[in-house]
Amino acid sequence: MFEDLDFFDYPLTPAPGRPATRPAVPQGERPGLAQLLLETQPAALFLLDGAGLILEVGGAWEAVTGIPPAEASGQPLHRWLRYDRARHPGVLRGAGGVLEEVTLTTRQGSQVARVAWASRGGYIAGSLEPLAPAAQHAFRTAERLQDTERALDEVVRLLGVSQDAWQADHVRRIVDLAERLAAAAGLSPAEVRAVRWGAALHDVGKARVPQAILQKPGPLDPLEHAVIRQHPAWGVQLLADLLFLPLQTLDAVRHHHERWDGRGYPIGLSGHHIPLGARIVSIADVFDALLSTRPYKRAWSYQEAVDYLITEAGRQFDPHLTRIFVCQVLGFTHLEDRFGCGDTGPEESEE
């Protein structure tokens, strides 16, 4: 069936009894196979120099991008590509690669495309190919969800640091510590986010506690103790209308002062009955508080704070999580043998 295709340097002989279906083209006017393939490519083709500047374009470049070749020449291809550069630092560099989802943005609008490239002799050759409409829709939906999550993260962060300057710094530090502990404990990304938000908001209820109590340089009297012990419940009340907050976040706010031995507050939960997020936030909260100067205490040394966590593992804190925090998050693997053999593993932690 291909006997009359003359893409090569010589025409094929027609089958016996079958006339030629088209007139012969003079040899000098016949395009080469490589040229035909380039011109009929459905993708946008590009050739870059070592600095990433466009030397040539071809294929369906203008149809895909809407950019005239003359306008593209000499411009960096990155000018029209949007993607997560922190996650994909090597795009259009190195030996080659493929990025399945980039946003191609021009004056005509934006679309999701697939970019593939390879490096040869100091040049970079590649292609841009738009995704199918269904894939574009799925990508846009995921992108909007990510934007929403980032916005919610910022809202939560601002709520958490809207108190005194020292409290804002404390919140930023325990968010980092709690997030690292949650990840090291094997929580899912959604669970890690819930813990991160719980850490950011754990003390938001202190907005209702009088500053005279919060800043008191000496011990609190029984009435003052009773007031400050209300801040977890007040925090949950303040957050009740934020329907996007998951239950695990509210549990962390409500129960981050519970103790493993049941002598905490607000309701005296013990052991694995304390929500997992609250147990994580509790460790991060106390550790940073020990290291901080407060109106009523001096800052402890790092060694003193770590020793306290180890001593209180199984009394104030979940012993399994405390081991992970000290040995993995803080990196003190040599202290592993200071934890008792009664440490319970993650399989038991949600009974």
Side-chain angles (χ1 to χ4, degrees), residues 19 45 50 74 96 112 127 139 145 155 172 188 203 214 233 260-261 338:
L45 306 180
V112 184
S127 64
F139 176 81
L145 287 174
V155 168
R172 281 189 283 267
S188 70
D203 273 347
L214 292 176
W260 187 257
D261 58 14
R338 291 190 55 187

Side-chain angles (χ1 to χ4, degrees), residues 62-77:
E62 190 164 1
V64 170
T65 67
I67 305 167
E71 181 181 327
S73 181
Q75 297 294 317
L77 184 59

